[in-house]
Amino acid sequence: MKVMVVGGGGREHAIIKKIKENKNVEEIFALPGNGGIAADATCVDIGAKDIDKIVEFAVSNHIDFAVVAPDDPLVLGAVDALNAKGIKTFGPDSKAAIIEGSKAFSKDLMKKYNIPTAQYETFCEMDKALEYVQNCPIPVVVKADGLALGKGVIIAETREQAVDAVKTIMGDKVFGDSGNKVVIEEFLTGPEVSVLSFTDGKTIVPMISSMDHKRALDGDKGLNTGGMGTIAPNPYYTDEVAAICMETIFKPTVEAMNKEGRSFSGCLYFGLMITEKGPKVIEYNCRFGDPETQVVLPLLESDLLDIMLKIYDKELDQIEVKFSDKSAACVVMASDGYPGKYETGFEISMPLDKNIYVAGAKLKDGRLVTGGGRVLGVTETAPNLKDALDKAYETVKSVDFANAYYRKDIGKRALMAERN
Ligand code: AMP
Ligand code: GLY
């Protein structure tokens, strides 16, 4: 089989490495991939948002199966366009991808179908939004409606900050048209859990749970990033919590999307907060999480491509999805300064026999050099979380590039939770 994966980060590298394990795979193309992915796939210089070119490539290269990994092409309709040309594809069509593409849509969906989430109001006019934040409880969370590279969420600790947040999103348009509408919602507290799931619109199978570390600095300080590290499984996601999530969140979401005529097929990601009043949805993503995928897929014992093929055929109930009972840890090595300004172009030296997913790197004269904010995701697995973390940090020591920065406390909170 010829497989094509759209995207070019650490998540895509993890998906490609896993798909490579399938014996029927002859060749994997990555569009655009990156300098590190080039070791595992043929990289093609077509951007993940260039849907016309993606479809043209798939057709002319007789691609048997395509995986669209990032949010942008999914929301823009890459799956619709590939399916229209008869290319079998993993991922939701644009009608279903709206579950991530519009926060107003997803909040209204949850309200209509009684899926637990934070209380909220939606505003299209800045004056009305400003009036609302003058009287609402503080802290409050202000969210741009559309996609904003995971940065469209502002947690306002004071009323002044809330006013500023509305003005920056709706007035200054720092997230572009994503800020034409805002969702202003109740601030929730509790540990966060990421649950990726496989679904074909009929059956939903949650994958092993994970925990992201979104802030740039140790102790969950600093700016929000795409994610500085992950661990799996997440100790806060107990069997009891999992059972509640299945009945009150996962199944109802799949059914709600069906009732809306927006059946979801692919990876549906639940960003959850375990509040005192039970688990609530913080966000939905219409795709695999990054860097969650870098800890979840190494623990998947079943064949990923076979699962994806079954999902395409709407026969997910016909295949076993099995996870290892080990733990995994991923430490993201970034360019110092990320998510702000940073320099790139530094040569990377790293062991080739380790599970290192390359996110932001390119080939320059045959050498791998840094090329992005998040550069590598170093993943290790072990029978328990402590050992997985120790191994991951040991491997980090054997990686070298100038201006490397990584958090030293990935998994610390999870380890503490395990002890309680
Ligand atoms: P999102 O991009 O929606 O995942 O939001 C980014 C982060 O903001 C989440 O991972 C949470 O840590 C935080 N967040 C989002 N919504 C809320 C909320 N209603 N209450 C508290 N924290 C939130
Ligand atoms: N790690 C969070 C996300 O992929 O959105």
Side-chain angles (χ1 to χ4, degrees):
M1 280 181 79
K2 279 179 162 185
V3 179
M4 169 181 111
V5 175
V6 175
R11 162 185 58 201
E12 286 76 12
H13 199 184
I15 292 172
I16 286 167
K17 280 201 185 206
K18 201 74 195 173
I19 287 180
K20 240 181 126 175
E21 292 175 7
N22 184 297
K23 288 191 294 291
N24 298 319
V25 173
E26 296 151 46
E27 186 160 19
I28 306 181
F29 296 94
L31 283 63
N34 66 44
I37 290 177
D40 293 290
T42 306
C43 294
V44 182
D45 190 16
I46 294 177
K49 287 198 264 184
D50 201 339
I51 293 178
D52 291 345
K53 284 202 181 140
I54 290 170
V55 175
E56 202 183 300
F57 178 86
V59 172
S60 54
N61 288 277
H62 308 288
I63 294 298
D64 298 298
F65 196 71
V67 177
V68 180
D71 46 359
D72 281 313
L74 289 167
V75 172
L76 290 170
V79 174
D80 318 45
L82 287 161
N83 281 339
K85 292 286 182 188
I87 308 283
K88 291 185 182 178
T89 307
F90 177 86
D93 61 13
S94 58
K95 266 176 99 176
I98 191 174
I99 198 163
E100 174 170 4
S102 166
K103 292 201 193 291
F105 170 86
S106 67
K107 295 296 291 189
D108 290 347
L109 184 86
M110 288 186 267
K111 190 189 241 177
K112 183 168 170 188
Y113 294 94
N114 281 319
I115 298 167
T117 188
Q119 299 287 323
Y120 72 104
E121 296 285 338
T122 305
F123 299 92
C124 296
E125 289 164 48
M126 188 162 80
D127 289 351
K128 297 255 167 67
L130 287 173
E131 200 182 302
Y132 178 78
V133 294
Q134 289 305 341
N135 298 301
C136 71
I138 296 289
V140 72
V141 186
V142 184
K143 301 184 173 185
D145 174 52
L147 296 180
L149 292 170
K151 293 177 187 145
V153 174
I154 299 174
I155 297 178
E157 315 255 355
T158 63
R159 204 165 296 286
E160 212 176 19
Q161 284 173 2
V163 169
D164 279 351
V166 170
K167 286 185 179 162
T168 351
I169 296 177
M170 298 192 92
D172 305 341
K173 291 270 161 72
V174 287
F175 306 116
D177 287 344
S178 290
N180 288 348
K181 224 188 248 184
V182 289
V183 170
I184 302 185
E185 68 178 35
E186 171 198 8
F187 175 76
L188 299 176
T189 51
E192 287 185 55
V193 179
S194 304
V195 180
L196 321 187
S197 70
F198 290 116
T199 178
D200 59 1
K202 295 193 302 186
T203 308
I204 181 158
V205 181
M207 298 180 221
I208 198 163
S209 61
S210 54
M211 184 192 285
D212 195 3
H213 297 69
K214 285 208 165 90
R215 301 297 192 99
L217 308 177
D218 284 3
D220 291 323
K221 302 247 162 43
L223 294 172
N224 255 320
T225 69
M228 294 302 294
T230 36
I231 58 99
N234 185 322
Y236 291 103
Y237 191 71
T238 58
D239 289 348
E240 192 196 346
V241 171
I244 297 171
C245 289
M246 186 52 120
E247 293 314 316
T248 64
I249 296 173
F250 304 160
K251 283 188 197 161
T253 301
V254 169
E255 280 160 24
M257 290 298 274
N258 287 336
K259 286 193 185 127
E260 295 295 307
R262 297 176 182 274
S263 181
F264 190 103
S265 168
C267 173
L268 182 54
Y269 166 130
F270 299 87
L272 306 169
M273 197 171 266
I274 315 302
T275 73
E276 276 178 2
K277 291 185 185 151
K280 294 192 181 188
V281 178
I282 289 283
E283 64 161 349
Y284 291 117
N285 290 328
C286 64
R287 49 164 178 92
F288 283 96
D290 188 345
E292 283 89 343
T293 307
Q294 290 91 312
V295 285
V296 169
L297 290 186
L299 297 173
L300 177 64
E301 290 181 338
S302 312
D303 186 274
L304 178 62
L305 184 59
D306 286 347
I307 296 170
M308 289 176 159
L309 288 164
K310 283 288 181 206
I311 289 174
Y312 180 82
D313 289 333
K314 301 227 171 298
E315 290 180 348
L316 178 58
D317 60 344
Q318 305 287 311
I319 191 165
E320 189 193 20
V321 179
K322 197 169 178 297
F323 280 89
S324 144
D325 53 16
K326 287 181 164 180
S327 294
C330 172
V331 177
V332 169
M333 298 186 71
S335 301
D336 194 18
Y338 170 78
K341 280 205 180 121
Y342 54 82
E343 285 180 69
T344 60
F346 301 113
E347 185 163 359
I348 301 169
S349 97
M350 61 182 197
L352 295 175
D353 60 336
K354 296 286 184 187
N355 219 8
I356 299 179
Y357 300 116
V358 180
K362 48 195 179 196
L363 287 170
K364 197 174 152 202
D365 306 325
R367 292 173 307 138
L368 194 64
V369 300
T370 61
R374 290 189 293 173
V375 179
L376 306 172
V378 175
T379 295
E380 291 284 358
T381 61
N384 61 65
L385 178 60
K386 166 97 177 45
D387 290 350
L389 285 163
D390 288 347
K391 274 171 77 179
Y393 276 111
E394 197 54 39
T395 303
V396 162
K397 282 192 212 152
S398 62
V399 177
D400 187 49
F401 59 88
N403 287 11
Y405 168 79
Y406 57 91
R407 272 182 63 165
K408 314 284 184 295
D409 66 341
I410 300 302
K412 201 169 167 187
R413 189 167 177 198
L415 281 177
M416 274 169 7
E418 270 186 347
R419 284 188 204 116
N420 290 331

